[in-house]
Amino acid sequence: MKNFTIGSMLIISYLLATATATAAVLGPWVQTLTKGNKKITKFHFYVHNLEGGPKANTTVYVVANASITSTSRASFGRLEVFDDRVTAGPDINSEQVARVQGTAANSDLHATAIALNTNFYITSGEFNRSTFGMTGRLPSTEPVREMPVVGGTGAFRLARGYAVSTVYSFDFATGNSVFEYTIYVITPSHEIVWTGA
Ligand SMILES: *[C@@H]1O[C@H](CO)[C@@H](O)[C@H](O)[C@H]1NC(C)=O
Ligand SMILES: *[C@@H]1O[C@H](CO)[C@@H](O)[C@H](O)[C@H]1NC(C)=O
Ligand SMILES: *[C@@H]1O[C@H](CO)[C@@H](O)[C@H](O)[C@H]1NC(C)=O
């Protein structure tokens, strides 16, 4: 019985030691949690997808349509390229923290769903100039969209994770949208260095 108790205490203290987490708030839009050999970075920010309005502000362009795009109820075959401003707050004039750049293709014949191929390029703070990729199926008509995070550069080497987005606002007159994103990116907590020949 005594041995059992000591054994249990050792296991509990081991679990407590390995479960110790270090959290850091690096800004209103980014925080980290380091636990064991993993680091989780949580982003919360807003993406401004500007289709219309003053031409100088446009950040998304349609570069191609398919022969059936205009008659398809899912706009099948439409291909857009974008470079959207990402800000800490919902106002477009709040601090720019990143750009999100990539392509969006309407690629479902029946429902409005987009194949997204995008990179978040951080432009501010601790992770300035690091990137991570987000690619997958975006179901435009669903209120909450989930997308995979697949790889990154700089601080986000070997990243994986997921993004959740909702439409924060949409302007019918211009077609401009603001998307609210929460993204969890998991990376190794220590730099992995190649040793040996
Ligand atoms: C255009 O961009 C400027 C500068 O970022 C901003 O102040 C203005 O509100 C934008 N206009 C629209 C229609 O988004
Ligand atoms: C694609 O079709 C849309 C809608 O008809 C049109 O506004 C746009 O100019 C077309 N773009 C290209 C590149 O064909
Ligand atoms: C981010 O990096 C760019 C390019 O090196 C630099 O011009 C800018 O001052 C940096 N911004 C911050 C907030 O560190």
Side-chain angles (χ1 to χ4, degrees):
M1 188 62 190
K2 203 172 180 189
N3 280 349
F4 172 79
T5 309
I6 292 170
S8 301
M9 280 172 65
L10 285 175
I11 290 167
I12 290 165
S13 57
Y14 172 75
L15 287 177
L16 286 175
T18 54
T20 301
T22 320
V25 177
L26 302 174
W29 56 281
V30 59
Q31 47 188 300
T32 60
L33 186 68
T34 305
K35 194 170 175 180
N37 61 1
K38 288 188 176 63
K39 179 171 172 174
I40 305 173
T41 306
K42 180 188 177 187
F43 296 96
H44 176 249
F45 47 39
Y46 298 83
V47 169
H48 301 268
N49 195 249
L50 307 183
E51 298 203 1
K55 192 125 192 116
N57 280 24
T58 302
T59 61
V60 48
Y61 290 86
V62 177
V63 294
N65 294 311
S67 54
I68 65 160
T69 303
S70 59
T71 53
S72 159
R73 76 196 148 90
S75 299
F76 185 85
R78 188 167 78 145
L79 179 67
E80 293 177 346
V81 181
F82 56 88
D83 177 4
D84 288 348
R85 184 175 163 91
V86 180
T87 56
D91 187 322
I92 193 167
N93 292 312
S94 68
E95 182 198 2
Q96 176 182 305
V97 297
R99 310 285 307 186
V100 56
Q101 305 168 334
T103 58
N106 287 61
S107 52
D108 187 312
L109 281 165
H110 308 288
T112 308
I114 314 284
L116 267 188
N117 177 4
T118 61
N119 296 300
F120 280 91
Y121 173 48
I122 308 299
T123 59
S124 166
E126 173 135 352
F127 302 129
N128 195 17
R129 303 182 74 196
S130 289
T131 72
F132 58 88
M134 183 182 78
T135 184
R137 182 180 190 272
L138 186 139
S140 308
T141 52
E142 286 177 21
V144 179
R145 302 88 178 261
E146 184 182 336
M147 302 276 299
V149 167
V150 287
T153 64
F156 304 116
R157 282 182 183 173
L158 304 176
R160 60 202 171 87
Y162 66 97
V164 176
S165 76
T166 55
V167 178
Y168 179 83
S169 65
F170 177 72
D171 179 9
F172 281 96
T174 57
N176 291 349
S177 313
V178 181
F179 303 113
E180 182 173 0
Y181 269 87
T182 302
I183 309 181
Y184 298 91
V185 179
I186 301 177
T187 47
S189 60
H190 301 100
E191 197 174 351
I192 297 170
V193 179
W194 184 270
T195 54

